[in-house]
Amino acid sequence: MAKPTVYRFCAGPWNFSEGQDPYGPPTRSPQSFDWKLSALKELGFEAMMFHDDDAVPDIDSKSSAQILKEAKELRKRLSGEGIVAEMVAPRLWFAPQTVDGAYTSNNKKHRQYAIDRSKRSIDIANVLGTDILVLWLAREGTYLREAKSGTRSVEYLVQAFDAMLGHDPKIRLAIEPKPNEPADVAYIPTIGHALAIAQLTRDPKRVGALIESAHAILAGLDPADEIDFAMAFKKLWSLHLNDQNGLKFDQDKPFGSNNLRVAFNQVRALERNGYGRRGEYVCFDVHPFRTTRPEHWLKHLGNSRDTFLRLVDKARSFPEAKAQALINDLNYQDLDQLVLNHLMGR
Ligand code: GLO
Ligand code: MG
């Protein structure tokens, strides 16, 4: 039998957010990058995720040489702290050029901007020592369906992915699907869409996925099924665990906060597929509640990790033989109760 996985944890600088939402300003004073880095260490997390401009602030105003120089300085700082860069993601939803989408913008120059910026992100990933470029396709969709052609948008996405794959023979693209927000309707809403579009690229084996629990729930899916599906293709390269209370704005709640059973099934899916055995990290894309006081600033991350590890114990101690006997007997009524009793501690 394979040894149990020892999970390693990761978060991004944006996961130490200050409490702002579309209806109100921050509720905690902004902190420096160094504060966030030491917070991550204090938590005992081993890796950090980076947007390109988390790694190199004001990236659009800098030359390639300057970007590489700053990325190298960051790498030194990270290795001084013993923290690894898990991935880099081009932030393609802030710039004026991405107002109507990045790779799928109707404007040719803006599409080129998105591709060029993605190539710079790959260069940063190289310097930081990660081969994963995460693509959260925030605005690749429409606010109004008549505004774009869906087929042409697929072609644009493939062209952009091909340009990235051609830029670096080692880079792997991990698409992070989300069905909506900020777009009304996104072009790559689920893992199925991500893995299907991978097949149209010049190197399908280097195009995989990142699953975020909340995004799957927003698509009306069970995140555990999304995990199983991606892992059946050996294409789950990163993970954003969190929670979400139904079909509303993206909440990024602590893992397990809303539905412990759905969280348990995600952990079971990770365990049965050996997630983490090929160096993958467990990342929490969670935010503190807006009401959180500064002295409790790290709780949402620590709590998510604690819940995750307790659910790992629950997955490993699940009475599999009893469950199998009930499955064989089609006694799903008692199987249901077996799961509930196990989660409730008896
Ligand atoms: C938002 C996404 C976002 C991405 C991050 C990495 O809904 O989850 O947080 O994960 O920007 O690209
Ligand atoms: Mg995410």
Side-chain angles (χ1 to χ4, degrees), residues 226-241:
E226 290 283 85
I227 290 171
D228 272 333
F229 191 83
M231 294 206 74
F233 290 79
K234 301 196 173 21
K235 284 205 169 179
L236 187 61
W237 298 336
S238 185
L239 186 64
H240 286 180
L241 294 182

Side-chain angles (χ1 to χ4, degrees), residues 168-304:
D168 175 349
K170 293 227 176 64
I171 200 75
R172 292 184 291 157
L173 310 181
I175 300 173
E176 178 180 351
K178 183 178 181 183
N180 59 279
E181 197 199 33
D184 174 24
V185 197
Y187 286 128
I188 309 290
T190 69
I191 287 302
H193 290 79
L195 299 191
I197 202 167
Q199 293 309 118
L200 296 180
T201 66
R202 62 195 284 168
D203 196 358
K205 66 177 185 316
R206 286 195 287 137
V207 183
L210 178 165
I211 288 169
E212 173 162 325
S213 326
H215 298 181
I217 294 166
L218 284 170
L221 300 172
D222 187 324
D225 288 344
E226 290 283 85
I227 290 171
D228 272 333
F229 191 83
M231 294 206 74
F233 290 79
K234 301 196 173 21
K235 284 205 169 179
L236 187 61
W237 298 336
S238 185
L239 186 64
H240 286 180
L241 294 182
N242 57 16
D243 213 350
Q244 170 72 25
N245 184 16
L247 304 184
K248 50 183 81 170
F249 62 94
D250 186 8
Q251 296 181 306
D252 295 335
K253 285 183 162 188
F255 183 55
S257 157
N258 198 68
N259 191 328
L260 209 49
R261 186 173 184 171
V262 169
F264 168 67
N265 281 314
Q266 288 170 74
V267 172
R268 263 192 112 205
L270 296 171
E271 283 271 297
R272 80 174 142 252
N273 289 295
Y275 184 85
R277 288 186 189 282
R278 285 160 295 274
E280 307 93 337
Y281 286 86
V282 173
C283 307
F284 295 111
D285 199 354
V286 293
H287 288 270
F289 296 121
R290 189 161 192 266
T291 48
T292 303
R293 288 195 303 270
E295 59 268 36
H296 303 144
W297 204 322
L298 311 186
K299 293 269 182 187
H300 61 306
L301 287 162
N303 290 346
S304 291

Side-chain angles (χ1 to χ4, degrees), residues 33 37 50-59 62-80 83-85 87-88 119-130:
F33 176 77
L37 191 58
F50 288 93
H51 292 120
D52 52 357
D53 58 357
D54 293 323
V56 181
D58 300 321
I59 190 167
K62 292 177 181 162
S63 67
S64 301
Q66 183 67 19
I67 291 171
L68 290 182
K69 183 170 167 270
E70 290 187 31
K72 279 181 195 150
E73 284 160 13
L74 174 62
R75 171 145 196 183
K76 252 192 230 147
R77 251 156 104 197
L78 291 177
S79 43
I83 297 281
V84 164
M87 62 82 161
V88 176
K119 288 181 179 168
R120 289 180 154 197
S121 299
I122 293 173
D123 297 341
I124 295 173
N126 273 324
V127 174
L128 296 187
T130 171

